[in-house]
mmCIF file with all atom_site columns, all heavy atoms in Angstrom:
data_model
loop_
_atom_site.group_PDB
_atom_site.id
_atom_site.type_symbol
_atom_site.label_atom_id
_atom_site.label_alt_id
_atom_site.label_comp_id
_atom_site.label_asym_id
_atom_site.label_entity_id
_atom_site.label_seq_id
_atom_site.pdbx_PDB_ins_code
_atom_site.Cartn_x
_atom_site.Cartn_y
_atom_site.Cartn_z
_atom_site.occupancy
_atom_site.B_iso_or_equiv
_atom_site.pdbx_formal_charge
_atom_site.auth_seq_id
_atom_site.auth_comp_id
_atom_site.auth_asym_id
_atom_site.auth_atom_id
_atom_site.pdbx_PDB_model_num
ATOM 1   N N   . CYS A 1 314 ? -79.781 -26.425 106.036 1.00 0.00 ? 314 CYS A N   1
ATOM 2   C CA  . CYS A 1 314 ? -79.276 -26.273 107.417 1.00 0.00 ? 314 CYS A CA  1
ATOM 3   C C   . CYS A 1 314 ? -78.358 -27.389 107.813 1.00 0.00 ? 314 CYS A C   1
ATOM 4   O O   . CYS A 1 314 ? -78.176 -28.376 107.194 1.00 0.00 ? 314 CYS A O   1
ATOM 5   C CB  . CYS A 1 314 ? -80.486 -26.271 108.381 1.00 0.00 ? 314 CYS A CB  1
ATOM 6   S SG  . CYS A 1 314 ? -81.474 -27.843 108.366 1.00 0.00 ? 314 CYS A SG  1
ATOM 7   N N   . MET A 1 315 ? -77.728 -27.203 109.023 1.00 0.00 ? 315 MET A N   1
ATOM 8   C CA  . MET A 1 315 ? -76.827 -28.134 109.668 1.00 0.00 ? 315 MET A CA  1
ATOM 9   C C   . MET A 1 315 ? -77.315 -28.413 111.057 1.00 0.00 ? 315 MET A C   1
ATOM 10  O O   . MET A 1 315 ? -78.044 -27.568 111.683 1.00 0.00 ? 315 MET A O   1
ATOM 11  C CB  . MET A 1 315 ? -75.369 -27.649 109.625 1.00 0.00 ? 315 MET A CB  1
ATOM 12  C CG  . MET A 1 315 ? -74.841 -27.550 108.218 1.00 0.00 ? 315 MET A CG  1
ATOM 13  S SD  . MET A 1 315 ? -73.147 -27.017 108.214 1.00 0.00 ? 315 MET A SD  1
ATOM 14  C CE  . MET A 1 315 ? -72.865 -26.885 106.434 1.00 0.00 ? 315 MET A CE  1
ATOM 15  N N   . GLU A 1 316 ? -76.905 -29.557 111.589 1.00 0.00 ? 316 GLU A N   1
ATOM 16  C CA  . GLU A 1 316 ? -77.402 -30.010 112.944 1.00 0.00 ? 316 GLU A CA  1
ATOM 17  C C   . GLU A 1 316 ? -76.288 -30.843 113.599 1.00 0.00 ? 316 GLU A C   1
ATOM 18  O O   . GLU A 1 316 ? -75.561 -31.543 112.903 1.00 0.00 ? 316 GLU A O   1
ATOM 19  C CB  . GLU A 1 316 ? -78.713 -30.830 112.674 1.00 0.00 ? 316 GLU A CB  1
ATOM 20  C CG  . GLU A 1 316 ? -79.247 -31.417 114.007 1.00 0.00 ? 316 GLU A CG  1
ATOM 21  C CD  . GLU A 1 316 ? -80.452 -32.295 113.770 1.00 0.00 ? 316 GLU A CD  1
ATOM 22  O OE1 . GLU A 1 316 ? -80.540 -32.876 112.630 1.00 0.00 ? 316 GLU A OE1 1
ATOM 23  O OE2 . GLU A 1 316 ? -81.221 -32.529 114.694 1.00 0.00 ? 316 GLU A OE2 1
ATOM 24  N N   . LEU A 1 317 ? -76.258 -30.742 114.916 1.00 0.00 ? 317 LEU A N   1
ATOM 25  C CA  . LEU A 1 317 ? -75.502 -31.579 115.706 1.00 0.00 ? 317 LEU A CA  1
ATOM 26  C C   . LEU A 1 317 ? -76.425 -32.485 116.459 1.00 0.00 ? 317 LEU A C   1
ATOM 27  O O   . LEU A 1 317 ? -77.308 -32.058 117.290 1.00 0.00 ? 317 LEU A O   1
ATOM 28  C CB  . LEU A 1 317 ? -74.668 -30.801 116.695 1.00 0.00 ? 317 LEU A CB  1
ATOM 29  C CG  . LEU A 1 317 ? -73.480 -31.560 117.309 1.00 0.00 ? 317 LEU A CG  1
ATOM 30  C CD1 . LEU A 1 317 ? -72.436 -31.895 116.294 1.00 0.00 ? 317 LEU A CD1 1
ATOM 31  C CD2 . LEU A 1 317 ? -72.756 -30.784 118.456 1.00 0.00 ? 317 LEU A CD2 1
ATOM 32  N N   . TYR A 1 318 ? -76.377 -33.784 116.144 1.00 0.00 ? 318 TYR A N   1
ATOM 33  C CA  . TYR A 1 318 ? -77.247 -34.838 116.716 1.00 0.00 ? 318 TYR A CA  1
ATOM 34  C C   . TYR A 1 318 ? -76.379 -35.850 117.439 1.00 0.00 ? 318 TYR A C   1
ATOM 35  O O   . TYR A 1 318 ? -75.591 -36.518 116.848 1.00 0.00 ? 318 TYR A O   1
ATOM 36  C CB  . TYR A 1 318 ? -78.086 -35.471 115.611 1.00 0.00 ? 318 TYR A CB  1
ATOM 37  C CG  . TYR A 1 318 ? -78.976 -36.606 116.061 1.00 0.00 ? 318 TYR A CG  1
ATOM 38  C CD1 . TYR A 1 318 ? -80.119 -36.377 116.837 1.00 0.00 ? 318 TYR A CD1 1
ATOM 39  C CD2 . TYR A 1 318 ? -78.670 -37.940 115.803 1.00 0.00 ? 318 TYR A CD2 1
ATOM 40  C CE1 . TYR A 1 318 ? -80.983 -37.416 117.205 1.00 0.00 ? 318 TYR A CE1 1
ATOM 41  C CE2 . TYR A 1 318 ? -79.457 -39.015 116.245 1.00 0.00 ? 318 TYR A CE2 1
ATOM 42  C CZ  . TYR A 1 318 ? -80.592 -38.681 116.929 1.00 0.00 ? 318 TYR A CZ  1
ATOM 43  O OH  . TYR A 1 318 ? -81.435 -39.751 117.316 1.00 0.00 ? 318 TYR A OH  1
ATOM 44  N N   . LYS A 1 319 ? -76.622 -35.931 118.748 1.00 0.00 ? 319 LYS A N   1
ATOM 45  C CA  . LYS A 1 319 ? -75.814 -36.883 119.595 1.00 0.00 ? 319 LYS A CA  1
ATOM 46  C C   . LYS A 1 319 ? -74.325 -36.659 119.386 1.00 0.00 ? 319 LYS A C   1
ATOM 47  O O   . LYS A 1 319 ? -73.578 -37.616 119.350 1.00 0.00 ? 319 LYS A O   1
ATOM 48  C CB  . LYS A 1 319 ? -76.259 -38.295 119.338 1.00 0.00 ? 319 LYS A CB  1
ATOM 49  C CG  . LYS A 1 319 ? -77.686 -38.613 119.662 1.00 0.00 ? 319 LYS A CG  1
ATOM 50  C CD  . LYS A 1 319 ? -77.992 -40.083 119.486 1.00 0.00 ? 319 LYS A CD  1
ATOM 51  C CE  . LYS A 1 319 ? -79.486 -40.338 119.995 1.00 0.00 ? 319 LYS A CE  1
ATOM 52  N NZ  . LYS A 1 319 ? -79.840 -41.778 119.860 1.00 0.00 ? 319 LYS A NZ  1
ATOM 53  N N   . GLY A 1 320 ? -73.876 -35.408 119.260 1.00 0.00 ? 320 GLY A N   1
ATOM 54  C CA  . GLY A 1 320 ? -72.537 -35.127 119.105 1.00 0.00 ? 320 GLY A CA  1
ATOM 55  C C   . GLY A 1 320 ? -71.910 -35.383 117.744 1.00 0.00 ? 320 GLY A C   1
ATOM 56  O O   . GLY A 1 320 ? -70.744 -35.218 117.541 1.00 0.00 ? 320 GLY A O   1
ATOM 57  N N   . LYS A 1 321 ? -72.778 -35.614 116.718 1.00 0.00 ? 321 LYS A N   1
ATOM 58  C CA  . LYS A 1 321 ? -72.341 -35.899 115.383 1.00 0.00 ? 321 LYS A CA  1
ATOM 59  C C   . LYS A 1 321 ? -72.929 -34.854 114.428 1.00 0.00 ? 321 LYS A C   1
ATOM 60  O O   . LYS A 1 321 ? -74.113 -34.531 114.556 1.00 0.00 ? 321 LYS A O   1
ATOM 61  C CB  . LYS A 1 321 ? -72.867 -37.316 114.912 1.00 0.00 ? 321 LYS A CB  1
ATOM 62  C CG  . LYS A 1 321 ? -72.489 -38.401 115.972 1.00 0.00 ? 321 LYS A CG  1
ATOM 63  C CD  . LYS A 1 321 ? -71.047 -38.656 116.107 1.00 0.00 ? 321 LYS A CD  1
ATOM 64  C CE  . LYS A 1 321 ? -70.735 -39.827 117.068 1.00 0.00 ? 321 LYS A CE  1
ATOM 65  N NZ  . LYS A 1 321 ? -69.302 -40.108 117.188 1.00 0.00 ? 321 LYS A NZ  1
ATOM 66  N N   . ILE A 1 322 ? -72.146 -34.365 113.497 1.00 0.00 ? 322 ILE A N   1
ATOM 67  C CA  . ILE A 1 322 ? -72.615 -33.305 112.539 1.00 0.00 ? 322 ILE A CA  1
ATOM 68  C C   . ILE A 1 322 ? -73.368 -33.897 111.392 1.00 0.00 ? 322 ILE A C   1
ATOM 69  O O   . ILE A 1 322 ? -73.009 -34.946 110.820 1.00 0.00 ? 322 ILE A O   1
ATOM 70  C CB  . ILE A 1 322 ? -71.385 -32.530 112.066 1.00 0.00 ? 322 ILE A CB  1
ATOM 71  C CG1 . ILE A 1 322 ? -71.779 -31.268 111.387 1.00 0.00 ? 322 ILE A CG1 1
ATOM 72  C CG2 . ILE A 1 322 ? -70.498 -33.376 111.175 1.00 0.00 ? 322 ILE A CG2 1
ATOM 73  C CD1 . ILE A 1 322 ? -72.356 -30.152 112.332 1.00 0.00 ? 322 ILE A CD1 1
ATOM 74  N N   . VAL A 1 323 ? -74.430 -33.165 111.028 1.00 0.00 ? 323 VAL A N   1
ATOM 75  C CA  . VAL A 1 323 ? -75.294 -33.412 109.865 1.00 0.00 ? 323 VAL A CA  1
ATOM 76  C C   . VAL A 1 323 ? -75.338 -32.210 109.004 1.00 0.00 ? 323 VAL A C   1
ATOM 77  O O   . VAL A 1 323 ? -75.732 -31.110 109.484 1.00 0.00 ? 323 VAL A O   1
ATOM 78  C CB  . VAL A 1 323 ? -76.658 -33.897 110.220 1.00 0.00 ? 323 VAL A CB  1
ATOM 79  C CG1 . VAL A 1 323 ? -77.491 -34.239 109.002 1.00 0.00 ? 323 VAL A CG1 1
ATOM 80  C CG2 . VAL A 1 323 ? -76.618 -35.138 111.224 1.00 0.00 ? 323 VAL A CG2 1
ATOM 81  N N   . ALA A 1 324 ? -75.028 -32.301 107.766 1.00 0.00 ? 324 ALA A N   1
ATOM 82  C CA  . ALA A 1 324 ? -75.249 -31.240 106.736 1.00 0.00 ? 324 ALA A CA  1
ATOM 83  C C   . ALA A 1 324 ? -76.312 -31.691 105.824 1.00 0.00 ? 324 ALA A C   1
ATOM 84  O O   . ALA A 1 324 ? -76.113 -32.668 105.030 1.00 0.00 ? 324 ALA A O   1
ATOM 85  C CB  . ALA A 1 324 ? -73.971 -30.946 106.074 1.00 0.00 ? 324 ALA A CB  1
ATOM 86  N N   . TYR A 1 325 ? -77.471 -31.082 105.813 1.00 0.00 ? 325 TYR A N   1
ATOM 87  C CA  . TYR A 1 325 ? -78.625 -31.610 105.082 1.00 0.00 ? 325 TYR A CA  1
ATOM 88  C C   . TYR A 1 325 ? -78.505 -31.356 103.566 1.00 0.00 ? 325 TYR A C   1
ATOM 89  O O   . TYR A 1 325 ? -79.132 -32.083 102.783 1.00 0.00 ? 325 TYR A O   1
ATOM 90  C CB  . TYR A 1 325 ? -79.926 -31.160 105.670 1.00 0.00 ? 325 TYR A CB  1
ATOM 91  C CG  . TYR A 1 325 ? -80.294 -31.853 106.914 1.00 0.00 ? 325 TYR A CG  1
ATOM 92  C CD1 . TYR A 1 325 ? -80.005 -31.370 108.176 1.00 0.00 ? 325 TYR A CD1 1
ATOM 93  C CD2 . TYR A 1 325 ? -80.796 -33.141 106.807 1.00 0.00 ? 325 TYR A CD2 1
ATOM 94  C CE1 . TYR A 1 325 ? -80.375 -32.001 109.318 1.00 0.00 ? 325 TYR A CE1 1
ATOM 95  C CE2 . TYR A 1 325 ? -81.168 -33.840 108.040 1.00 0.00 ? 325 TYR A CE2 1
ATOM 96  C CZ  . TYR A 1 325 ? -80.905 -33.309 109.228 1.00 0.00 ? 325 TYR A CZ  1
ATOM 97  O OH  . TYR A 1 325 ? -81.250 -33.950 110.359 1.00 0.00 ? 325 TYR A OH  1
ATOM 98  N N   . SER A 1 326 ? -77.828 -30.378 103.166 1.00 0.00 ? 326 SER A N   1
ATOM 99  C CA  . SER A 1 326 ? -77.462 -30.214 101.673 1.00 0.00 ? 326 SER A CA  1
ATOM 100 C C   . SER A 1 326 ? -76.338 -29.205 101.591 1.00 0.00 ? 326 SER A C   1
ATOM 101 O O   . SER A 1 326 ? -76.412 -28.185 102.143 1.00 0.00 ? 326 SER A O   1
ATOM 102 C CB  . SER A 1 326 ? -78.751 -29.687 100.944 1.00 0.00 ? 326 SER A CB  1
ATOM 103 O OG  . SER A 1 326 ? -78.314 -29.406 99.605  1.00 0.00 ? 326 SER A OG  1
ATOM 104 N N   . LEU A 1 327 ? -75.360 -29.580 100.730 1.00 0.00 ? 327 LEU A N   1
ATOM 105 C CA  . LEU A 1 327 ? -74.241 -28.675 100.435 1.00 0.00 ? 327 LEU A CA  1
ATOM 106 C C   . LEU A 1 327 ? -74.310 -28.076 99.063  1.00 0.00 ? 327 LEU A C   1
ATOM 107 O O   . LEU A 1 327 ? -73.403 -27.465 98.578  1.00 0.00 ? 327 LEU A O   1
ATOM 108 C CB  . LEU A 1 327 ? -72.871 -29.474 100.587 1.00 0.00 ? 327 LEU A CB  1
ATOM 109 C CG  . LEU A 1 327 ? -72.595 -29.866 102.011 1.00 0.00 ? 327 LEU A CG  1
ATOM 110 C CD1 . LEU A 1 327 ? -71.317 -30.704 102.090 1.00 0.00 ? 327 LEU A CD1 1
ATOM 111 C CD2 . LEU A 1 327 ? -72.482 -28.685 102.945 1.00 0.00 ? 327 LEU A CD2 1
ATOM 112 N N   . GLY A 1 328 ? -75.498 -28.229 98.489  1.00 0.00 ? 328 GLY A N   1
ATOM 113 C CA  . GLY A 1 328 ? -75.852 -27.612 97.186  1.00 0.00 ? 328 GLY A CA  1
ATOM 114 C C   . GLY A 1 328 ? -74.971 -27.968 96.044  1.00 0.00 ? 328 GLY A C   1
ATOM 115 O O   . GLY A 1 328 ? -74.448 -29.028 95.949  1.00 0.00 ? 328 GLY A O   1
ATOM 116 N N   . ASN A 1 329 ? -74.895 -27.017 95.083  1.00 0.00 ? 329 ASN A N   1
ATOM 117 C CA  . ASN A 1 329 ? -73.997 -27.148 93.978  1.00 0.00 ? 329 ASN A CA  1
ATOM 118 C C   . ASN A 1 329 ? -72.630 -26.652 94.298  1.00 0.00 ? 329 ASN A C   1
ATOM 119 O O   . ASN A 1 329 ? -72.511 -25.509 94.802  1.00 0.00 ? 329 ASN A O   1
ATOM 120 C CB  . ASN A 1 329 ? -74.553 -26.335 92.750  1.00 0.00 ? 329 ASN A CB  1
ATOM 121 C CG  . ASN A 1 329 ? -75.947 -26.796 92.327  1.00 0.00 ? 329 ASN A CG  1
ATOM 122 O OD1 . ASN A 1 329 ? -76.201 -27.956 92.246  1.00 0.00 ? 329 ASN A OD1 1
ATOM 123 N ND2 . ASN A 1 329 ? -76.773 -25.796 92.009  1.00 0.00 ? 329 ASN A ND2 1
ATOM 124 N N   . PHE A 1 330 ? -71.622 -27.386 93.995  1.00 0.00 ? 330 PHE A N   1
ATOM 125 C CA  . PHE A 1 330 ? -70.323 -27.000 94.223  1.00 0.00 ? 330 PHE A CA  1
ATOM 126 C C   . PHE A 1 330 ? -69.433 -26.586 92.959  1.00 0.00 ? 330 PHE A C   1
ATOM 127 O O   . PHE A 1 330 ? -68.906 -25.536 92.909  1.00 0.00 ? 330 PHE A O   1
ATOM 128 C CB  . PHE A 1 330 ? -69.418 -28.125 94.936  1.00 0.00 ? 330 PHE A CB  1
ATOM 129 C CG  . PHE A 1 330 ? -67.991 -27.724 95.216  1.00 0.00 ? 330 PHE A CG  1
ATOM 130 C CD1 . PHE A 1 330 ? -67.743 -26.662 96.051  1.00 0.00 ? 330 PHE A CD1 1
ATOM 131 C CD2 . PHE A 1 330 ? -67.011 -28.435 94.677  1.00 0.00 ? 330 PHE A CD2 1
ATOM 132 C CE1 . PHE A 1 330 ? -66.408 -26.288 96.316  1.00 0.00 ? 330 PHE A CE1 1
ATOM 133 C CE2 . PHE A 1 330 ? -65.663 -28.105 94.951  1.00 0.00 ? 330 PHE A CE2 1
ATOM 134 C CZ  . PHE A 1 330 ? -65.431 -26.991 95.725  1.00 0.00 ? 330 PHE A CZ  1
ATOM 135 N N   . CYS A 1 331 ? -69.431 -27.473 91.987  1.00 0.00 ? 331 CYS A N   1
ATOM 136 C CA  . CYS A 1 331 ? -68.783 -27.190 90.801  1.00 0.00 ? 331 CYS A CA  1
ATOM 137 C C   . CYS A 1 331 ? -69.622 -27.642 89.561  1.00 0.00 ? 331 CYS A C   1
ATOM 138 O O   . CYS A 1 331 ? -69.413 -28.689 89.141  1.00 0.00 ? 331 CYS A O   1
ATOM 139 C CB  . CYS A 1 331 ? -67.334 -27.780 90.748  1.00 0.00 ? 331 CYS A CB  1
ATOM 140 S SG  . CYS A 1 331 ? -66.388 -27.300 89.279  1.00 0.00 ? 331 CYS A SG  1
ATOM 141 N N   . THR A 1 332 ? -70.542 -26.785 89.177  1.00 0.00 ? 332 THR A N   1
ATOM 142 C CA  . THR A 1 332 ? -71.406 -27.157 88.105  1.00 0.00 ? 332 THR A CA  1
ATOM 143 C C   . THR A 1 332 ? -71.520 -25.948 87.131  1.00 0.00 ? 332 THR A C   1
ATOM 144 O O   . THR A 1 332 ? -72.503 -25.208 87.087  1.00 0.00 ? 332 THR A O   1
ATOM 145 C CB  . THR A 1 332 ? -72.855 -27.400 88.666  1.00 0.00 ? 332 THR A CB  1
ATOM 146 O OG1 . THR A 1 332 ? -73.258 -26.338 89.413  1.00 0.00 ? 332 THR A OG1 1
ATOM 147 C CG2 . THR A 1 332 ? -72.800 -28.724 89.485  1.00 0.00 ? 332 THR A CG2 1
ATOM 148 N N   . PRO A 1 333 ? -70.434 -25.648 86.418  1.00 0.00 ? 333 PRO A N   1
ATOM 149 C CA  . PRO A 1 333 ? -70.337 -24.375 85.645  1.00 0.00 ? 333 PRO A CA  1
ATOM 150 C C   . PRO A 1 333 ? -71.275 -24.269 84.474  1.00 0.00 ? 333 PRO A C   1
ATOM 151 O O   . PRO A 1 333 ? -71.525 -23.103 83.991  1.00 0.00 ? 333 PRO A O   1
ATOM 152 C CB  . PRO A 1 333 ? -68.871 -24.404 85.184  1.00 0.00 ? 333 PRO A CB  1
ATOM 153 C CG  . PRO A 1 333 ? -68.527 -25.849 85.197  1.00 0.00 ? 333 PRO A CG  1
ATOM 154 C CD  . PRO A 1 333 ? -69.235 -26.499 86.250  1.00 0.00 ? 333 PRO A CD  1
ATOM 155 N N   . ARG A 1 334 ? -71.724 -25.351 83.901  1.00 0.00 ? 334 ARG A N   1
ATOM 156 C CA  . ARG A 1 334 ? -72.635 -25.367 82.776  1.00 0.00 ? 334 ARG A CA  1
ATOM 157 C C   . ARG A 1 334 ? -73.823 -26.301 82.973  1.00 0.00 ? 334 ARG A C   1
ATOM 158 O O   . ARG A 1 334 ? -73.731 -27.250 83.713  1.00 0.00 ? 334 ARG A O   1
ATOM 159 C CB  . ARG A 1 334 ? -71.942 -25.798 81.498  1.00 0.00 ? 334 ARG A CB  1
ATOM 160 C CG  . ARG A 1 334 ? -70.643 -24.942 81.127  1.00 0.00 ? 334 ARG A CG  1
ATOM 161 C CD  . ARG A 1 334 ? -71.042 -23.623 80.604  1.00 0.00 ? 334 ARG A CD  1
ATOM 162 N NE  . ARG A 1 334 ? -69.876 -22.931 79.954  1.00 0.00 ? 334 ARG A NE  1
ATOM 163 C CZ  . ARG A 1 334 ? -69.759 -21.639 79.684  1.00 0.00 ? 334 ARG A CZ  1
ATOM 164 N NH1 . ARG A 1 334 ? -70.765 -20.957 79.998  1.00 0.00 ? 334 ARG A NH1 1
ATOM 165 N NH2 . ARG A 1 334 ? -68.631 -21.110 79.197  1.00 0.00 ? 334 ARG A NH2 1
ATOM 166 N N   . SER A 1 335 ? -74.947 -25.889 82.361  1.00 0.00 ? 335 SER A N   1
ATOM 167 C CA  . SER A 1 335 ? -76.190 -26.787 82.213  1.00 0.00 ? 335 SER A CA  1
ATOM 168 C C   . SER A 1 335 ? -76.851 -26.917 83.599  1.00 0.00 ? 335 SER A C   1
ATOM 169 O O   . SER A 1 335 ? -77.832 -27.626 83.635  1.00 0.00 ? 335 SER A O   1
ATOM 170 C CB  . SER A 1 335 ? -75.805 -28.223 81.752  1.00 0.00 ? 335 SER A CB  1
ATOM 171 O OG  . SER A 1 335 ? -75.256 -28.138 80.472  1.00 0.00 ? 335 SER A OG  1
ATOM 172 N N   . VAL A 1 336 ? -76.476 -26.228 84.629  1.00 0.00 ? 336 VAL A N   1
ATOM 173 C CA  . VAL A 1 336 ? -77.146 -26.193 85.867  1.00 0.00 ? 336 VAL A CA  1
ATOM 174 C C   . VAL A 1 336 ? -77.344 -24.757 86.278  1.00 0.00 ? 336 VAL A C   1
ATOM 175 O O   . VAL A 1 336 ? -76.477 -23.986 86.211  1.00 0.00 ? 336 VAL A O   1
ATOM 176 C CB  . VAL A 1 336 ? -76.325 -26.877 87.013  1.00 0.00 ? 336 VAL A CB  1
ATOM 177 C CG1 . VAL A 1 336 ? -76.934 -26.828 88.338  1.00 0.00 ? 336 VAL A CG1 1
ATOM 178 C CG2 . VAL A 1 336 ? -76.113 -28.380 86.624  1.00 0.00 ? 336 VAL A CG2 1
ATOM 179 N N   . SER A 1 337 ? -78.605 -24.432 86.718  1.00 0.00 ? 337 SER A N   1
ATOM 180 C CA  . SER A 1 337 ? -78.869 -23.057 87.152  1.00 0.00 ? 337 SER A CA  1
ATOM 181 C C   . SER A 1 337 ? -78.006 -22.659 88.300  1.00 0.00 ? 337 SER A C   1
ATOM 182 O O   . SER A 1 337 ? -77.893 -23.315 89.304  1.00 0.00 ? 337 SER A O   1
ATOM 183 C CB  . SER A 1 337 ? -80.387 -22.947 87.527  1.00 0.00 ? 337 SER A CB  1
ATOM 184 O OG  . SER A 1 337 ? -80.599 -21.637 87.976  1.00 0.00 ? 337 SER A OG  1
ATOM 185 N N   . LEU A 1 338 ? -77.441 -21.440 88.150  1.00 0.00 ? 338 LEU A N   1
ATOM 186 C CA  . LEU A 1 338 ? -76.641 -20.856 89.194  1.00 0.00 ? 338 LEU A CA  1
ATOM 187 C C   . LEU A 1 338 ? -77.173 -19.548 89.712  1.00 0.00 ? 338 LEU A C   1
ATOM 188 O O   . LEU A 1 338 ? -76.489 -18.780 90.374  1.00 0.00 ? 338 LEU A O   1
ATOM 189 C CB  . LEU A 1 338 ? -75.198 -20.618 88.710  1.00 0.00 ? 338 LEU A CB  1
ATOM 190 C CG  . LEU A 1 338 ? -74.458 -21.957 88.236  1.00 0.00 ? 338 LEU A CG  1
ATOM 191 C CD1 . LEU A 1 338 ? -73.023 -21.620 87.746  1.00 0.00 ? 338 LEU A CD1 1
ATOM 192 C CD2 . LEU A 1 338 ? -74.418 -22.995 89.407  1.00 0.00 ? 338 LEU A CD2 1
ATOM 193 N N   . LYS A 1 339 ? -78.459 -19.345 89.409  1.00 0.00 ? 339 LYS A N   1
ATOM 194 C CA  . LYS A 1 339 ? -79.087 -18.093 89.856  1.00 0.00 ? 339 LYS A CA  1
ATOM 195 C C   . LYS A 1 339 ? -79.299 -18.036 91.308  1.00 0.00 ? 339 LYS A C   1
ATOM 196 O O   . LYS A 1 339 ? -79.662 -19.077 91.969  1.00 0.00 ? 339 LYS A O   1
ATOM 197 C CB  . LYS A 1 339 ? -80.442 -17.945 89.088  1.00 0.00 ? 339 LYS A CB  1
ATOM 198 C CG  . LYS A 1 339 ? -80.255 -17.767 87.608  1.00 0.00 ? 339 LYS A CG  1
ATOM 199 C CD  . LYS A 1 339 ? -81.694 -17.594 87.000  1.00 0.00 ? 339 LYS A CD  1
ATOM 200 C CE  . LYS A 1 339 ? -81.603 -17.434 85.443  1.00 0.00 ? 339 LYS A CE  1
ATOM 201 N NZ  . LYS A 1 339 ? -82.951 -17.271 84.772  1.00 0.00 ? 339 LYS A NZ  1
ATOM 202 N N   . GLY A 1 340 ? -79.056 -16.891 91.904  1.00 0.00 ? 340 GLY A N   1
ATOM 203 C CA  . GLY A 1 340 ? -79.303 -16.743 93.384  1.00 0.00 ? 340 GLY A CA  1
ATOM 204 C C   . GLY A 1 340 ? -78.604 -17.764 94.241  1.00 0.00 ? 340 GLY A C   1
ATOM 205 O O   . GLY A 1 340 ? -77.405 -18.001 93.959  1.00 0.00 ? 340 GLY A O   1
ATOM 206 N N   . ILE A 1 341 ? -79.331 -18.286 95.095  1.00 0.00 ? 341 ILE A N   1
ATOM 207 C CA  . ILE A 1 341 ? -78.633 -19.246 96.084  1.00 0.00 ? 341 ILE A CA  1
ATOM 208 C C   . ILE A 1 341 ? -78.289 -20.575 95.418  1.00 0.00 ? 341 ILE A C   1
ATOM 209 O O   . ILE A 1 341 ? -77.537 -21.357 96.010  1.00 0.00 ? 341 ILE A O   1
ATOM 210 C CB  . ILE A 1 341 ? -79.503 -19.507 97.352  1.00 0.00 ? 341 ILE A CB  1
ATOM 211 C CG1 . ILE A 1 341 ? -80.819 -20.191 97.014  1.00 0.00 ? 341 ILE A CG1 1
ATOM 212 C CG2 . ILE A 1 341 ? -79.727 -18.187 98.087  1.00 0.00 ? 341 ILE A CG2 1
ATOM 213 C CD1 . ILE A 1 341 ? -81.661 -20.575 98.248  1.00 0.00 ? 341 ILE A CD1 1
#
Side-chain angles (χ1 to χ4, degrees):
C314 60
M315 296 183 183
E316 177 184 23
L317 196 66
Y318 175 74
K319 295 185 177 180
K321 311 294 185 179
I322 192 71
V323 181
Y325 281 100
S326 175
L327 294 176
N329 298 319
F330 179 62
C331 185
T332 55
R334 300 290 191 195
S335 299
V336 175
S337 174
L338 301 179
K339 294 180 181 178
I341 63 174

